[in-house]
Amino acid sequence: MSTIPLDKVRNIGIAAHIDAGKTTTTERILYYSGRVHRMGEVDDGDATMDWMPQEMERGITITSAATTCEWKGNRINIIDTPGHVDFTAEVERSLRVLDGMVMVMCAVGGVQPQSETVWRQASNYEVPRIVFVNKMDRVGADFHDVLHQMRSRLGAHVVAVQLPVGAEEHFEAVIDIVGRRAYRWTGDLGEVIEECEIPENMVQRVETFRDHLVVTLAENDPDLETMYLEGREPTEEEMHAAIRRLTIETKLVPVFTGSSLKNKGVQLLLEAIVDYLPCPTEIPTIAGKHPKTEETVERAPDNGEPFCGYVFKVVSDPFVGQLSYMRVYSGVVKKGESVVNTRTGKRERLGRLLRMHANRREDLDQAETGDIIAVVGLTQPWTGDTLSAVNAPISLETIEFPEPVIALAIEAKTRADEERLAESLGRLVGEDPTFTVRTDRDTGQQIISGMGELHLEIIVDRLRREFNVDVNIGKQQVAYKETITRGALGEGRFVRQTGGRGQFGHVIVRLEPTGPDCEFEFVDESKGGDVPAEFKKAVEAGLKEAMESGPLAGYPSTRIRATLLGGSSHDVDSSDVAFRVAAGMALRDAYLKASPALLEPVMLAEVVTPEQYMGDVVNDLNSRRAVIDSMKSLPGDTQEIVARVPLALMFGYSTALRSLSQGRATYTMEPDSYEPVADQDAVLGRV
């Protein structure tokens, strides 16, 4: 593998709402950069990046796929992420290791729910981004409306760097505002770019947008501010440099446009990726902690630094076993070298290093700073593991993932498949941090939980196809939670006396409800030596353990503040175990006095329907206890309804919606919040 200078490397992700065209855009990027010699199409099921059978059949991206291409001497490592809300975790862990992002917006749909979710995720990680307004050839395409939506709904400081010439079937070219030149694409696959004249009716608009761009740059960049105040017009190079600086500082988001399906605008997007998104040396130095001393440790993006890599994704591969996708933040690592996994503290030998192209693999002898690769040979890898040089350990911050909201019971069809099912589920849990497996303590059933109906449907499909395990599944269940509605005192006394040393723990706690932003808070108000200091961590652990299964129906508890008021101990018999058990007893004692209540997941649903079915769709949502947030008209005689609705009443909604609209309406849904259940007795009666 040839070494490329770090300033020529770009690690980017491509993200969007479902069906905005990001996989089609990625296919064009790979084709124009020479990485593939034939464009795959999502609708034909042969897109390079959608390689899973489930992706081919459904025409959607399910798992993030990595690839690499080169453009004019620059290496671009790309991660194509899913757009469906059930697979938001794939976007989350990709953003954790990326230096920049291309956000694809649909010129018709504009800012859609998953667009907002991904934008928030990128903002949390302070990822520089550029926007590509796609599908300018579609009926209802409106570039300027998308700009307005991004400013109003995302609060984004977006600025147009390109303008489209025409729209819908009249979309024919793109204008570069900075350079005051227009481009059109010819050839069977848009591979020929021709510079052309800016249409006369757009000259004034281009100047207006250029003036706005210059003013925006001057407001945010001291160099251009001075130039602007002196009355000097910046050169193209000076404007490009300012746009790059402000984009990397996340103060500005440049917006580009085109139509990937019609092969227009993608080469200029490639230029923008190189021109405006950062290289590994332009992002903040990565910081972590020493696994033993907890001291802050930094690693500069340099091949001369000690090796540090971050595992952001684990995949089960039928040919090579478990693949661990890793971003190399510093140093160089060679095939067969030993490193340390700072989560486990164990040495690991890197059997193979692979550069991935979707599901195809290219063996490497070594990986360098800035590389995104896959590793074979790690034992029990997990998302969020840090691998580092044995003599210079560092532990990077792990990723927080949302909790599953939907569950179903699963069992092997035959006794012979039971062991294979357990092993297969274990591998899937290792791959996907938002997928969990537990055993119901009352029924003994295995319960799998995920982020939505599609998520679990894909899991079950993979079990049958990939792992050859035939399973029976039960009815889908809602992942309820439990909480308390008022304060109460509880006492737990654990005393066991046997022939030798006994067990003694005594705890008094007060429980109080908290707000939705606090799952659990532990407060110590005990006095003197009521509870010795060495047992207070055991008390907290016992409280947390007891909250995993609430007294109403065994669901996890949340929104609780537990205050340790006092207790007592025994000089000989007290132990961590005794106080942990006593704390659990105290919590259960107080819980039942504190008016416990069930909470249910409420989803944010966006329904797009032709206007003629609007009344039926709204009536159906109302029957599901939906709270309508907004309704607005969209191009093409369609209406958009945004509502919050309990997940328990949305099972099978896709079938109902198709029936109401003759198959013409669509919807998306994402977790929004947990709210008190309207009819708690009815729910408890079904549990």
Side-chain angles (χ1 to χ4, degrees):
M1 183 187 70
S2 59
T3 298
I4 288 184
L6 277 178
D7 63 347
K8 298 288 187 182
V9 175
R10 302 289 183 273
N11 289 317
I12 67 156
I14 300 184
H17 184 87
I18 190 169
D19 203 32
K22 79 195 136 33
T23 299
T24 302
T25 302
T26 308
E27 289 294 317
R28 270 53 181 177
I29 287 174
L30 295 177
Y31 177 79
Y32 295 128
S33 64
R35 188 66 176 84
V36 298
H37 301 290
R38 176 182 170 276
M39 288 183 190
E41 300 293 352
V42 174
D43 291 341
D44 296 338
D46 61 356
T48 305
M49 305 304 281
D50 287 351
W51 56 271
M52 291 175 67
Q54 294 85 356
E55 293 176 315
M56 296 177 187
E57 291 168 0
R58 291 168 174 81
I60 62 171
T61 303
I62 291 169
T63 182
S64 53
T67 189
T68 299
C69 65
E70 296 198 2
W71 181 256
K72 297 184 178 179
N74 296 272
R75 174 177 291 151
I76 305 174
N77 298 317
I78 302 172
I79 297 181
D80 179 35
T81 63
H84 197 285
V85 67
D86 283 15
F87 309 104
T88 300
E90 289 286 327
V91 186
E92 184 85 24
R93 58 184 174 187
S94 299
L95 285 171
R96 172 65 174 78
V97 298
L98 293 172
D99 301 333
M101 186 177 82
V102 177
M103 188 79 188
V104 180
M105 294 281 185
C106 175
V108 181
V111 176
Q112 296 165 288
Q114 185 66 358
S115 311
E116 295 185 69
T117 302
V118 173
W119 197 271
R120 280 197 306 272
Q121 290 171 311
S123 296
N124 288 342
Y125 289 112
E126 298 182 336
V127 176
R129 67 214 82 153
I130 61 177
V131 172
F132 181 65
V133 178
N134 190 25
K135 300 192 176 186
M136 279 303 304
D137 60 302
R138 284 269 308 275
V139 174
D142 189 333
F143 176 79
H144 302 286
D145 184 52
V146 177
L147 285 178
H148 172 71
Q149 287 185 43
M150 283 191 286
R151 291 182 182 122
S152 60
R153 294 177 63 175
L154 300 178
H157 198 181
V158 296
V159 61
V161 179
Q162 292 179 348
L163 285 176
V165 177
E168 303 178 347
E169 72 269 22
H170 302 298
F171 174 59
E172 58 182 71
V174 165
I175 298 171
D176 170 17
I177 294 173
V178 176
R180 295 188 177 102
R181 55 179 74 92
Y183 298 94
R184 64 162 54 98
W185 286 263
T186 60
D188 293 339
L189 297 171
E191 65 274 19
V192 180
I193 308 177
E194 295 178 352
E195 189 173 325
C196 56
E197 291 293 321
I198 297 174
E200 283 186 26
N201 64 340
M202 289 194 69
V203 171
Q204 187 55 50
R205 183 186 298 179
V206 171
E207 289 306 311
T208 301
F209 270 82
R210 197 176 194 279
D211 289 344
H212 176 261
L213 177 58
V214 171
V215 170
T216 303
L217 295 176
E219 287 174 346
N220 293 277
D221 188 281
D223 294 343
L224 260 73
E225 183 183 27
T226 303
M227 198 178 302
Y228 182 76
L229 293 174
E230 291 174 354
R232 286 194 299 120
E233 182 172 327
T235 64
E236 280 187 48
E237 291 72 21
E238 288 168 333
M239 289 181 71
H240 284 308
I243 294 170
R244 179 179 180 82
R245 280 194 299 274
L246 295 174
T247 302
I248 291 171
E249 292 170 5
T250 66
K251 293 179 179 177
L252 198 73
V253 180
V255 181
F256 304 83
T257 190
S259 169
S260 298
L261 188 64
K262 299 297 184 183
N263 309 315
K264 296 177 181 178
V266 179
Q267 295 98 323
L268 297 184
L269 178 63
L270 270 166
E271 298 280 1
I273 289 169
V274 171
D275 288 345
Y276 300 133
L277 290 179
C279 65
T281 58
E282 291 174 308
I283 61 169
T285 299
I286 197 75
K289 293 188 180 299
H290 192 286
K292 291 182 179 176
T293 65
E294 292 291 308
E295 291 179 5
T296 300
V297 183
E298 292 189 344
R299 290 281 187 273
D302 192 307
N303 285 340
E305 286 274 300
F307 165 70
C308 171
Y310 189 84
V311 176
F312 66 94
K313 179 180 170 72
V314 179
V315 175
S316 292
D317 188 286
F319 302 104
V320 298
Q322 282 192 307
L323 280 175
S324 304
Y325 284 74
M326 178 176 72
R327 161 73 189 264
V328 180
Y329 278 106
S330 66
V332 177
V333 68
K334 297 183 178 178
K335 179 174 67 175
E337 192 172 330
S338 289
V339 297
V340 65
N341 182 334
T342 51
R343 174 179 62 87
T344 63
K346 295 179 180 177
R347 287 196 180 200
E348 301 269 15
R349 183 178 175 276
L350 306 181
R352 291 172 69 187
L353 305 179
L354 305 170
R355 187 176 299 287
M356 301 300 295
H357 179 50
N359 63 331
R360 294 191 284 280
R361 300 172 289 275
E362 172 192 338
D363 276 282
L364 303 174
D365 293 324
Q366 68 176 33
E368 302 176 350
T369 301
D371 282 342
I372 293 178
I373 60 165
V375 177
V376 179
L378 300 184
T379 57
Q380 295 185 321
W382 287 91
T383 298
D385 281 356
T386 305
L387 304 180
S388 60
V390 175
N391 58 356
I394 181 175
S395 182
L396 303 181
E397 186 180 353
T398 56
I399 312 170
E400 294 290 328
F401 292 102
E403 291 183 25
V405 295
I406 190 171
L408 57 81
I410 190 168
E411 64 179 15
K413 274 194 175 177
T414 65
R415 194 172 284 276
D417 277 343
E418 285 181 359
E419 192 175 325
R420 286 224 316 277
L421 174 61
E423 182 186 334
S424 303
L425 288 174
R427 290 173 69 178
L428 289 170
V429 167
E431 280 188 26
D432 187 348
T434 58
F435 173 63
T436 62
V437 180
R438 66 179 175 86
T439 301
D440 189 287
R441 64 179 183 178
D442 297 322
T443 64
Q445 288 179 309
Q446 278 193 305
I447 307 295
I448 60 174
S449 303
M451 297 306 296
E453 290 181 83
L454 180 61
H455 188 194
L456 293 185
E457 182 186 321
I458 297 297
I459 291 285
V460 172
D461 194 36
R462 288 187 63 193
L463 283 170
R464 289 171 175 156
R465 289 197 202 188
E466 223 172 284
F467 298 95
N468 297 314
V469 180
D470 216 357
V471 295
N472 293 320
I473 57 173
K475 199 170 74 170
Q476 290 165 338
Q477 306 166 12
V478 177
Y480 292 101
K481 290 186 178 183
E482 299 183 17
T483 190
I484 57 175
T485 57
R486 61 188 180 89
L489 293 178
E491 185 173 4
R493 185 185 294 270
F494 181 66
V495 182
R496 290 288 185 275
Q497 195 62 53
T498 56
R501 178 180 171 181
Q503 295 282 0
F504 182 89
H506 176 217
V507 172
I508 301 170
V509 297
R510 179 177 67 239
L511 299 188
E512 299 167 284
T514 66
D517 296 331
C518 176
E519 286 197 9
F520 174 73
E521 182 183 354
F522 176 68
V523 180
D524 178 19
E525 290 185 2
S526 59
K527 297 176 182 176
D530 290 351
V531 177
E534 64 265 29
F535 297 131
K536 289 181 179 177
K537 278 195 180 297
V539 171
E540 184 177 359
L543 293 169
K544 287 182 178 177
E545 195 175 295
M547 285 181 60
E548 291 175 6
S549 180
L552 277 180
Y555 293 111
S557 300
T558 186
R559 303 181 185 177
I560 292 176
R561 179 185 296 110
T563 303
L564 175 62
L565 298 177
S568 58
S569 63
H570 189 280
D571 291 342
V572 176
D573 292 347
S574 287
S575 66
D576 280 353
V577 172
F579 272 96
R580 198 163 66 241
V581 174
M585 294 167 67
L587 183 131
R588 283 187 287 273
D589 179 42
Y591 209 112
L592 294 171
K593 303 173 190 172
S595 299
L598 274 184
L599 299 172
E600 64 180 347
V602 173
M603 312 299 283
L604 182 67
E606 182 190 74
V607 184
V608 177
T609 176
E611 191 168 6
Q612 66 193 92
Y613 307 113
M614 180 80 165
D616 292 337
V617 171
V618 170
N619 288 337
D620 181 68
L621 284 171
N622 287 332
S623 73
R624 298 171 190 270
R625 289 198 283 116
V627 176
I628 308 291
D629 280 357
S630 65
M631 292 187 283
K632 72 172 184 179
S633 299
L634 298 177
D637 194 30
T638 58
Q639 297 284 328
E640 177 193 81
I641 307 160
V642 178
R644 285 171 171 77
V645 58
L647 172 63
L649 300 176
M650 290 297 279
F651 291 150
Y653 183 64
S654 55
T655 303
L657 187 62
R658 279 197 297 267
S659 199
L660 288 169
S661 64
Q662 298 183 12
R664 294 176 61 194
T666 60
Y667 84 104
T668 57
M669 197 165 64
E670 63 178 280
D672 180 66
S673 60
Y674 269 84
E675 302 294 341
V677 171
D679 190 350
Q680 183 167 298
D681 292 338
V683 174
L684 290 174
R686 294 196 301 267
V687 174

